[in-house]
Amino acid sequence: MTKGNGIALAAAFIGGAAVGAALGLLFAPAKGEDQRAKIKEALEKRGIKLDSVSFEKLVDEIKSIGKKKEATPAEDYDPE
């Protein structure tokens, strides 16, 4: 490999890493506290007001439903 090819390869690698990092930041899910704020706002738009304790119970219930689904994926499997 010549020196010019090595530099071009390094530049391509660094450029690809930079583009990948930028895309990762753009498409990464929001932080938990941001997601909670969005959920609370959506509920309030629909006239549902929850205090912080009730809201945390709702979040925990939703999490447990998701964990149950992850634990039993065979229920959704339809080979046909």
Side-chain angles (χ1 to χ4, degrees):
M1 179 183 312
T2 65
K3 187 175 181 179
N5 287 342
I7 293 172
L9 181 64
F13 179 79
I14 292 169
V19 170
L23 288 173
L25 290 172
L26 286 174
F27 291 105
K31 293 189 310 186
E33 94 184 22
D34 294 340
Q35 289 291 72
R36 283 184 166 84
K38 288 179 184 178
I39 292 169
K40 196 166 193 173
E41 183 181 316
L43 290 173
E44 287 175 353
K45 281 183 181 178
R46 288 161 179 80
I48 302 169
K49 298 202 185 248
L50 299 173
D51 61 8
S52 61
V53 173
S54 299
F55 184 72
E56 286 303 317
K57 285 181 182 179
L58 176 63
V59 168
D60 290 341
E61 187 176 331
I62 292 169
K63 284 181 185 178
S64 72
I65 291 169
K67 287 179 182 175
K68 287 178 188 174
K69 276 301 217 185
E70 289 174 8
T72 57
E75 293 175 5
D76 294 334
Y77 179 70
D78 184 12
E80 295 180 40

